Amino acid sequence: SQTIHQWPATLVQPVGSPLSLECTVEGTSNPNLYWYRQAAGRGLQLLFYSVGIGQISSEVPQNLSASRPQDRQFILSSKKLLLSDSGFYLCAWSLGRTVGEKLFFGSGTQLSVL
Amino acid sequence: AQKITQTQPGMFVQEKEAVTLDCTYDTSDPSYGLFWYKQPSSGEMIFLIYQGSYDQQNATEGRYSLNFQKARKSANLVISASQLGDSAMYFCAMRPTGNQFYFGTGTSLTVIP
């Protein structure tokens, strides 16, 4: 069966510090991978998605970046965090075959930038 | 343009009663999927139910059913016999042709004992 791992679960970082959030998927190959951010009490904002190794689509221009060094690994990074980067970050995966393929989410990372 | 709209920021329902959470969508794609997710306070996103644009019948999964009205572009979630554990945020999502998913802003459901 497929599983998705996302870590860390919580993170407190000072403004200006770097960020690295990692997500890995097991039990499937060539998944589409996604990073979402959710502000407190708000909806999901798509940050990045990837359909293959090295292929990254950015939805929101900001100081975050994403990389996919391996088929089932997706990394969200920042060189210098801003206060506005605080939020709940969710990694997700889906297969790209049909519109009926649903999203599977990781457990999320609560990031607080102080 | 692809868009999902949830107009109910918060809803209350009495335990054991049924509740309908509204969702409307906009897409020009003839083929699309509609999904509902539940997000409890823990933050995890739990898949509830799926409806395909070509499906003739409304989807059902246990106490969840999807009232799909294609002409009105609505995909409302109906939860029957509400339980205290149903208190959570609920998100409607759409996947048109391609790899992107579009989410609504969510509805916060509170079940009152």
Side-chain angles (χ1 to χ4, degrees):
Chain A
S1 63
Q2 304 93 352
T3 55
I4 178 169
H5 303 279
Q6 183 182 345
W7 67 93
T10 58
L11 193 59
V12 180
Q13 293 285 97
V15 170
S17 64
L19 172 73
S20 180
L21 302 181
E22 189 163 341
C23 173
T24 59
V25 179
E26 296 178 356
T28 189
S29 59
N30 196 30
N32 293 339
L33 296 172
Y34 305 80
W35 278 111
Y36 288 89
R37 179 170 63 196
Q38 186 178 25
R42 305 291 295 275
L44 278 73
Q45 179 187 34
L46 177 62
L47 300 176
F48 302 94
Y49 72 95
S50 171
V51 299
I53 296 174
Q55 301 177 60
I56 307 295
S57 296
S58 174
E59 292 300 304
V60 182
Q62 54 201 332
N63 68 320
L64 299 174
S65 62
S67 62
R68 184 172 178 172
Q70 300 180 42
D71 181 45
R72 289 168 290 175
Q73 184 185 27
F74 206 24
I75 298 171
L76 182 69
S77 303
S78 174
K79 293 182 179 178
K80 289 186 177 182
L81 283 168
L82 306 173
L83 287 174
S84 58
D85 291 324
S86 293
F88 189 60
Y89 289 79
L90 285 159
C91 181
W93 73 273
S94 178
L95 294 176
R97 295 174 300 198
T98 71
V99 297
E101 301 286 354
K102 59 182 177 281
L103 267 177
F104 297 89
F105 287 87
S107 52
T109 296
Q110 183 65 55
L111 173 65
S112 299
V113 183
L114 305 177
Chain B
Q2 319 281 10
K3 190 176 181 181
I4 289 279
T5 303
Q6 294 180 255
T7 58
Q8 306 157 313
M11 291 281 287
F12 292 86
V13 63
Q14 205 74 36
E15 192 178 8
K16 300 181 183 178
E17 296 292 314
V19 63
T20 298
L21 306 184
D22 294 341
C23 173
T24 58
Y25 61 91
D26 189 18
T27 181
S28 56
D29 285 14
S31 178
Y32 51 90
L34 296 162
F35 306 82
W36 277 92
Y37 286 85
K38 172 184 178 182
Q39 187 181 40
S41 57
S42 61
E44 62 184 314
M45 293 285 284
I46 303 168
F47 165 75
L48 295 178
I49 196 166
Y50 163 77
Q51 179 84 41
S53 59
Y54 292 119
D55 292 344
Q56 295 295 314
Q57 293 191 333
N58 288 341
T60 60
E61 289 285 351
R63 293 187 299 111
Y64 304 108
S65 60
L66 202 152
N67 184 0
F68 180 47
Q69 298 187 44
K70 194 170 184 177
R72 297 180 61 184
K73 293 190 174 180
S74 73
N76 299 338
L77 176 70
V78 180
I79 305 175
S80 63
S82 295
Q83 302 172 357
L84 295 178
D86 293 333
S87 293
M89 282 289 290
Y90 289 80
F91 291 97
C92 180
M94 175 179 67
R95 181 177 187 172
T97 305
N99 298 302
Q100 290 203 44
F101 290 77
Y102 297 84
F103 281 83
T105 51
T107 296
S108 176
L109 177 66
T110 302
V111 181
I112 303 168

